[in-house]
Amino acid sequence: MNQKSHISFTLNGETAEVAFAPHKTLLEVLREDLALTGTKHGCELGECGTCTILVDGRSILSCLMLGLDAEGRRVTTIEGMAEGGRLHPLQDTFADLGAAQCGYCSPGFLLAAKELIDKLPNPSRDEIKEALSGNLCRCTGYIKIYEAVELAAARVRGEAMELPRESLYGCE
Amino acid sequence: MKQNGNNGKPLNVVGKPFRKVDARAKCTGQTKFADDIFLPRMLYCKILRSHEPHALIKKIDVSKALALPGVISIITGKDLPIPYGILPVSQDEHALCIDKVRFIGDPVAAVAAIDEDGAFDAMNLIEVQYERLQTITSIEEGVMIDEPRIHEYGDGGNVHKKVSLEFGEVEDGFAEADLVREDTFFYEGNTHLPMEQHAAVAHFDSDEKLTLWSSTQTPHYVHRALTKVLEISASHIRVIATPNGGGFGGKSDPFNHEVIVSKLAMITGRPVKCTLTREEVFYCHRGRHPVLMHIKTGVKKDGAITAMHFKSFLDGGAYGSYGVASTFYTGALQTVTYEVPRYKFDGIRVFTNKPPCGPKRGHGTPQPRFGLEVQLDKIAEALSLDPVEIRRNHLVKPNSVTANYLRIGSMGLGACIDKVVERADWKNKFSWPVTEPRAVASGSETQLEWQDPLATARGSVTRKLPYGKGIGIACSSYICGAGLPIYWNNMPQSAVQLRLDRQGGVCVMCGSTDIGQGSDSILAYIVAEILGIDPFDIRVVTADTDLTPVDLGSYSSRVTLMTGNAAIQAAERARELLTIAVAEKLKVPIENISFAERRAFDVENPEVGVSFAEAVVLAESKFGTIGTVGSYTPPRSPGKYKGAGVGPSPAYSYSAAIAEVGVDADTGMVTVERIWIAHDVGKSINPVLVMGQVEGSVYMGLGEILMEEMSYRANRNVVHKIPSMLEYKSPTTMEMCDVKTFLIEDPDPNGPFGAKEVGQGPLLPVPPAVANAVYNAVGVRVDEVPITPEKVLKALREKSKGRDGRFGPESIPSVDWPEPLRVLTPDEGGDGREMPRVSVHS
């Protein structure tokens, strides 16, 4: 019971090893044993999407995955999204459009959105809604999030897209 | 019009869509929320909560729990005997219940252990013996059942508060009316559901001072409560509000877990953390009060209101919280949108054995606004008026005083209405609902046509939208900060301290709390505008009772207006010192010095100037260290009667919303397709942040009207049915509608650069606009929030049986209202004071 388990895996591009009580979820291991508190929790029951991370490029709810199951996997958390000091285009557009208000759900949304645009470089508004439907946000009404994803996707595609005026100043 | 902070120069920062100062931290996972704090030797706290809704505590046995390895301390009510509460008149909470529990979720005992699992196991070993009491489960029971009392204070029995105010003779107004309508509405309670569960960490330092980090919207009030409950001097307590992962009013009370971790930290000498589970957040609640309403309104043929008598019945839950203020708020703002020359308000709040209600976004005003706006729609139909015209033609005038003595400044509601009406193409979509088709010949074919039975009177023959599609409008207004603080004092409500570094750095300190709305950024933008520097040059330090001057907190939509004005004053004082020093150096008149692009320069000769850092050096050389303060106290309200404290505000924001919906008559499903909303924000300090508040408000209003509700099992146990995020339905991306946002700027002389609030007001018109659109779509009225498919179907069934197609409350409890406090209106020559009470027998 008190024996700790040990895993090694790839965490944000680096090899990591960690020992923890075997019943812990990956969410708990990340936050409590690896001090990566960027991954948040809203319910710890798989209902809100706040603890979304990427495992082998796929979004998963870290509150529903045992830490033990991360052995040998490739895990990306919000701390690994920027490259060096350079923000991922999604992080830039979330910041520019106020898609992060309180910011508590933002890490989960950013990673879920990253999975989407990695797979689908030019998602429609409906595809964005579908992809993010497992993540709850109580601040934004989601609209600035959609706009930020669309803008980031365009930039990743290499299109020089400006911040839309209606998104910044309201409709005329 | 002159506005605070604006000296006529073009604005470089204010009005521009800058990033928030904390945006990068929030998008990289760097923001430290309360539960992200881990301190060496930290203990974990779990709180045992009552499983009984109403019971006496006969015995608590903690011995088995204490014997568990890793358990360091357990406390119960006797360790924290002093009561507290947010309002001075409702000091009715104990951090841990002493002799009685009042709802399922009331805290009874708390454990500190070396790990969270151990604390949880120990919590479950605590044995409590209860003696059950009869429960009070509804508004009706709270009014009718006097014994047992949930609390030993209030206005008798289980009534917490009962008020009655009359402004002018409403009966005279009803006598003048061409039409008098009476309607009853019910608005179910719902909760904030912030994504971040409440969390707090306390540490009792080696210098015997307590520090509490907490996800609170009101660190100043927590500071005061801790001083009282822990019986230590305020100077030995430091409260730091961590960035809130959503608040919406739900983190505005001092909470038991904050008191508990503080006490446990003092007892154990170690840091103690408590993070609530999602289920516990539902028990913390302090959310929207369930409110039953009865509205009697008299109108002239053109829709002009002659009098209104508004009765509200609030289900307060188990504690006082902000409830007295909430009660007054259900009656305060009916007068600020359309002219109401005579107005009477009766309000009653009862205690029930449910999680306590308090302030949620719009605090006490979305419920009456729903009733008022739906009733106005019914009145418009009865008078064959367009719902737009009945509103647009009777707006309160700017710079006026209402019948209940609220002073209106700028008033952009007309512009808001005009904007959404035009953009939603209202004229081509709206017609009064016609739900009976008739066959008409069209060429050689016969078609079904939805004909209006009063077609001639209304000048339209057919529906403009097909049956099942509808459009509705509603308007609203909200305060920009409460005129009075929560505890009586003559001090400023907000203060800012500014420190200028000789190398050009600027530090802004303010007690305000960023709950995601961007209040930290607002401070930076405003100071940057006045000092002519970049907002990202500024260090913002907020929400720390040791380091920052008092701001009362993030509630009542007060922050931008109040901290903004305080920041303007502090920054202008600093600019003045710099101006004197720079003018002397440049040998130009003081009035020639201007600040922009990190420079101070001669406006007549802009290349002559110094850098901002040099300006600070000049000023520091002349005056010593440059530090200034600014503060803000709201203007005095013209209302002087007892109860006049709730409603006054330095300014009022206005919103108008049009909702377009689809209603499936077979399933009762309501789909909101689009909302057009225009909000009069006075002046956008940052338009992209203003939009975010508008869209977020629309979202939250949509959740309230379509699905969100605190519901309890229909037995005597008052068990919360759905304390989880899965079962408490809130809109996901799949339910959220399209929103067209229009920012209307009617600057208010009391606002910083003319700015008014935006955080709460835009929620208010959404529920009634949707309700009116549902009626427009299928011809039935659901006079209740939320509008669930079940209610729509019931109303449609009623209608198909030839009865009134309505779902909603039928009656109100009989209440022995007190003799109203009578106040002459300004139009009647009143002075804002109540009239002397006249004995009935004299």
Side-chain angles (χ1 to χ4, degrees):
Chain A
M1 173 67 193
N2 290 327
Q3 204 102 40
K4 284 192 171 183
S5 298
H6 177 274
I7 61 165
S8 58
F9 65 123
T10 306
L11 178 58
N12 295 326
E14 295 166 5
T15 306
E17 292 186 38
V18 60
F20 52 87
H23 63 273
K24 278 192 163 185
T25 63
L26 183 53
L27 168 72
E28 290 165 332
V29 173
L30 289 169
R31 288 180 54 83
E32 296 166 12
D33 299 290
L34 289 159
L36 293 183
T37 55
T39 304
K40 304 301 179 197
H41 54 80
C43 66
E44 302 188 40
L45 292 168
E47 296 165 353
C48 68
T50 304
C51 66
T52 303
I53 58 168
L54 299 181
V55 176
D56 297 330
R58 287 196 53 203
S59 63
I60 64 110
L61 301 174
S62 61
C63 75
L64 295 185
M65 180 171 169
L66 281 176
L68 282 172
D69 287 337
E71 171 70 37
R73 313 285 285 273
R74 189 164 49 83
V75 171
T76 306
T77 68
I78 187 66
E79 287 89 350
M81 204 167 160
E83 282 186 34
R86 233 186 71 201
L87 297 185
H88 186 280
L90 280 164
Q91 292 173 305
D92 259 325
T93 57
F94 267 59
D96 281 335
L97 289 172
Q101 282 190 23
C102 82
Y104 198 80
C105 71
S106 307
F109 267 97
L110 282 161
L111 290 162
K114 182 176 187 306
E115 180 194 31
L116 171 70
I117 64 171
D118 283 350
K119 277 198 301 206
L120 208 62
N122 193 4
S124 68
R125 179 65 67 98
D126 282 345
E127 285 166 334
I128 295 171
K129 287 184 181 179
E130 182 76 39
L132 302 180
S133 62
N135 293 67
L136 292 178
C137 168
R138 292 290 279 174
C139 293
T140 60
Y142 306 111
I143 292 168
K144 291 279 174 267
I145 294 176
Y146 306 150
E147 292 168 349
V149 173
E150 286 163 352
L151 186 58
R155 286 180 178 171
V156 170
R157 294 193 304 271
E159 296 165 21
M161 194 169 154
E162 289 298 305
L163 295 168
R165 197 186 149 78
E166 278 201 353
S167 305
L168 297 174
Y169 294 94
C171 303
E172 293 281 319
Chain B
M1 186 184 289
K2 185 186 175 320
Q3 296 128 28
N4 300 345
N6 194 341
N7 58 4
K9 282 196 327 173
L11 299 172
N12 295 316
V13 181
V14 165
K16 303 280 195 296
F18 280 96
R19 272 186 186 186
K20 292 203 290 189
V21 293
D22 51 8
R24 192 181 171 95
K26 286 183 170 171
C27 293
T28 53
Q30 302 299 305
T31 302
K32 287 276 176 248
F33 295 92
D35 189 42
D36 299 338
I37 297 170
F38 290 86
L39 298 175
R41 299 184 76 236
M42 189 169 80
L43 301 175
Y44 293 82
C45 166
K46 283 285 172 193
I47 299 169
L48 177 71
R49 293 176 185 274
S50 167
H51 289 193
E52 291 290 336
H54 198 192
L56 300 175
I57 299 172
K58 303 310 281 187
K59 192 178 167 203
I60 303 177
D61 182 354
V62 300
S63 54
K64 284 182 194 156
L66 259 181
L68 204 69
V71 172
I72 306 296
S73 178
I74 298 181
I75 56 173
T76 61
K78 64 177 175 3
D79 297 299
L80 288 162
I82 299 172
Y84 63 94
I86 183 69
L87 299 186
V89 295
S90 308
Q91 301 285 299
D92 62 1
E93 295 185 53
H94 285 91
L96 293 163
C97 296
I98 293 179
D99 48 11
K100 184 173 164 172
V101 293
R102 296 176 171 87
F103 71 101
I104 291 178
D106 227 358
V108 175
V111 180
I114 56 172
D115 60 37
E116 206 170 1
D117 291 345
F120 184 77
D121 291 342
M123 178 187 85
N124 287 326
L125 290 173
I126 298 171
E127 292 168 357
V128 187
Q129 282 177 22
Y130 295 105
E131 181 183 313
R132 301 188 76 168
L133 298 170
Q134 183 189 348
T135 51
I136 308 296
T137 69
S138 64
I139 291 169
E140 290 74 12
E141 289 183 6
V143 172
M144 304 300 296
I145 302 174
D146 287 343
E147 296 285 341
R149 293 184 81 182
I150 294 173
H151 285 283
E152 295 302 317
Y153 80 105
D155 285 345
N158 282 302
V159 174
H160 178 206
K161 185 71 187 172
K162 195 153 58 166
V163 298
S164 189
L165 299 167
E166 185 167 4
F167 306 92
E169 291 280 345
V170 286
E171 289 308 324
D172 291 354
F174 293 133
E176 273 176 29
D178 295 320
L179 173 73
V180 177
R181 251 205 93 93
E182 296 191 50
D183 289 288
T184 311
F185 299 95
F186 180 64
Y187 201 112
E188 182 57 280
N190 52 55
T191 200
H192 319 82
L193 205 75
M195 294 309 298
E196 178 209 27
Q197 302 98 320
H198 308 55
V201 180
H203 181 40
F204 203 56
D205 289 327
S206 48
D207 58 1
E208 295 196 296
K209 286 182 176 156
L210 177 78
T211 302
L212 177 79
W213 292 264
S214 181
S215 49
T216 175
Q217 298 176 231
T218 53
H220 175 62
Y221 295 136
V222 173
H223 192 202
R224 286 173 57 87
L226 290 181
T227 302
K228 181 185 179 199
V229 178
L230 301 174
E231 294 183 284
I232 48 177
S233 141
S235 59
H236 286 242
I237 302 175
R238 176 183 187 184
V239 178
I240 300 171
T242 47
N244 284 203
F248 316 113
K251 296 170 180 170
S252 308
D253 287 60
F255 280 103
N256 49 65
H257 64 273
E258 295 172 320
V259 177
I260 288 166
V261 290
S262 299
K263 185 70 182 180
L264 284 169
M266 290 170 68
I267 289 171
T268 63
R270 292 169 70 165
V272 181
K273 180 197 275 190
C274 182
T275 303
L276 301 190
T277 63
R278 179 54 62 183
E279 183 178 355
E280 286 178 292
V281 175
F282 279 91
Y283 301 142
C284 265
H285 191 40
R286 320 288 160 145
R288 185 86 69 224
H289 283 76
V291 180
L292 180 65
M293 296 162 271
H294 180 85
I295 319 174
K296 181 177 178 183
T297 304
V299 289
K300 302 299 278 183
K301 281 197 184 91
D302 66 353
I305 294 169
T306 58
M308 181 183 290
H309 182 182
F310 202 102
K311 291 181 189 165
S312 55
F313 305 76
L314 291 81
D315 181 343
Y319 288 96
S321 183
Y322 283 78
V324 171
S326 316
T327 307
F328 279 102
Y329 271 122
T330 65
L333 301 188
Q334 278 81 335
T335 54
V336 300
T337 45
Y338 322 111
E339 296 269 11
V340 181
R342 302 173 189 85
Y343 178 63
K344 185 176 180 185
F345 169 61
D346 295 317
I348 185 171
R349 182 182 195 259
V350 299
F351 290 121
T352 58
N353 295 113
K354 297 176 188 168
C357 298
K360 185 188 170 194
R361 207 171 197 168
H363 192 190
T365 70
Q367 302 98 325
R369 180 54 59 182
F370 173 78
L372 191 160
E373 294 290 326
V374 173
Q375 189 188 52
L376 210 54
D377 218 53
K378 298 182 184 192
I379 289 171
E381 186 177 24
L383 296 173
S384 294
L385 295 171
D386 186 303
V388 169
E389 297 312 316
I390 197 173
R391 291 172 167 83
R392 185 73 178 83
N393 290 345
H394 305 291
L395 296 178
V396 162
K397 291 179 182 53
N399 308 312
S400 61
V401 177
T402 67
N404 59 340
Y405 288 89
L406 304 182
R407 189 189 285 121
I408 308 299
S410 84
M411 204 286 188
L413 183 52
C416 291
I417 294 174
D418 294 345
K419 182 60 88 175
V420 291
V421 164
E422 184 206 331
R423 288 296 191 257
D425 196 20
W426 174 268
K427 288 193 165 53
N428 289 315
K429 289 178 180 168
F430 178 80
S431 54
W432 283 112
V434 186
T435 53
E436 299 302 322
R438 64 161 192 170
V440 289
S442 167
S444 58
E445 291 175 29
T446 303
Q447 289 185 338
L448 284 181
E449 191 176 77
W450 299 94
Q451 192 194 29
D452 185 336
L454 300 174
T456 331
R458 291 174 182 160
S460 80
V461 178
T462 55
R463 288 183 64 93
K464 291 180 185 166
L465 292 174
Y467 178 74
K469 297 278 180 196
I471 191 164
I473 187 168
C475 304
S476 65
S477 174
Y478 199 64
I479 55 171
C480 305
L484 292 178
I486 279 174
Y487 63 98
W488 175 248
N489 69 78
N490 281 317
M491 292 175 281
Q493 285 206 29
S494 192
V496 164
Q497 209 164 359
L498 213 59
R499 190 167 46 75
L500 274 58
D501 179 80
R502 62 176 65 173
Q503 301 198 85
V506 174
C507 181
V508 186
M509 290 161 282
C510 178
S512 60
T513 305
D514 202 314
I515 62 172
Q517 85 282 43
S519 57
D520 282 7
S521 303
I522 297 300
L523 289 167
Y525 302 147
I526 287 178
V527 170
E529 180 67 58
I530 289 170
L531 297 181
I533 56 178
D534 187 289
F536 298 94
D537 293 348
I538 293 172
R539 166 72 61 187
V540 181
V541 177
T542 52
D544 181 329
T545 60
D546 262 11
L547 301 184
T548 60
V550 168
D551 173 78
L552 294 182
S554 284
Y555 65 95
S556 87
S557 272
R558 53 182 296 290
V559 185
T560 293
L561 189 136
M562 298 201 194
T563 67
N565 281 326
I568 287 172
Q569 189 177 58
E572 285 182 343
R573 285 173 173 171
R575 188 177 63 188
E576 194 181 328
L577 297 174
L578 269 57
T579 300
I580 292 167
V582 171
E584 194 175 283
K585 169 82 174 175
L586 300 181
K587 299 187 172 55
V588 297
I590 280 172
E591 55 274 17
N592 274 27
I593 300 297
S594 188
F595 290 75
E597 295 175 354
R598 297 189 178 116
R599 287 179 73 240
F601 55 91
D602 178 1
V603 280
E604 286 177 8
N605 207 355
E607 65 274 18
V608 176
V610 298
S611 71
F612 181 74
E614 285 172 294
V616 178
V617 168
L618 291 170
E620 188 169 336
S621 307
K622 187 173 173 62
F623 299 111
T625 303
I626 304 299
T628 56
V629 293
S631 57
Y632 181 75
T633 308
R636 281 181 180 275
S637 163
K640 310 288 179 217
Y641 56 91
K642 192 170 184 295
V646 173
S649 177
Y652 296 86
S653 75
Y654 288 91
S655 316
I658 289 177
E660 194 166 320
V661 307
V663 181
D664 184 330
D666 294 326
T667 63
M669 281 293 291
V670 176
T671 310
V672 177
E673 284 155 11
R674 180 172 286 181
I675 286 178
W676 293 262
I677 182 160
H679 181 75
D680 168 22
V681 68
K683 168 74 187 172
S684 300
I685 302 292
N686 178 332
V688 76
L689 301 189
V690 172
M691 285 189 78
Q693 290 302 307
V694 174
E695 290 164 0
S697 295
V698 169
Y699 155 86
M700 203 161 267
L702 193 75
E704 295 196 11
I705 188 64
L706 293 182
M707 61 190 87
E708 296 188 32
E709 54 185 326
M710 289 285 270
S711 57
Y712 302 86
R713 288 192 195 148
N715 56 28
R716 305 302 307 168
N717 290 336
V718 214
V719 179
H720 197 300
K721 267 188 192 169
I722 47 174
S724 82
M725 284 183 128
L726 182 65
E727 295 301 325
Y728 180 91
K729 301 298 181 197
S730 64
T732 71
T733 54
M734 305 310 278
E735 288 81 37
M736 182 58 192
C737 64
D738 190 17
V739 180
K740 293 288 176 201
T741 302
F742 306 90
L743 305 184
I744 303 294
E745 298 193 333
D746 191 343
D748 194 283
N750 286 334
F753 296 92
K756 303 197 283 190
E757 77 86 39
V758 65
Q760 309 192 61
L763 181 149
L764 295 162
V766 174
V770 171
N772 290 338
V774 166
Y775 177 67
N776 189 245
V778 289
V780 296
R781 287 283 179 192
V782 179
D783 289 341
E784 201 176 291
V785 176
I787 298 182
T788 57
E790 188 187 11
K791 294 174 190 173
V792 174
L793 278 184
K794 279 184 179 160
L796 282 168
R797 255 179 240 131
E798 285 295 297
K799 194 172 177 68
S800 69
K801 290 174 190 159
R803 292 200 279 266
D804 201 12
R806 173 180 180 269
F807 184 94
E810 301 294 336
S811 61
I812 52 171
S814 160
V815 171
D816 191 13
W817 296 105
E819 184 64 19
L821 199 93
R822 292 181 193 283
V823 185
L824 285 177
T825 68
D827 281 351
E828 293 168 335
D831 61 358
R833 291 171 210 281
E834 64 253 38
M835 293 161 73
R837 286 192 189 269
V838 182
S839 165
V840 204
H841 302 292
S842 67

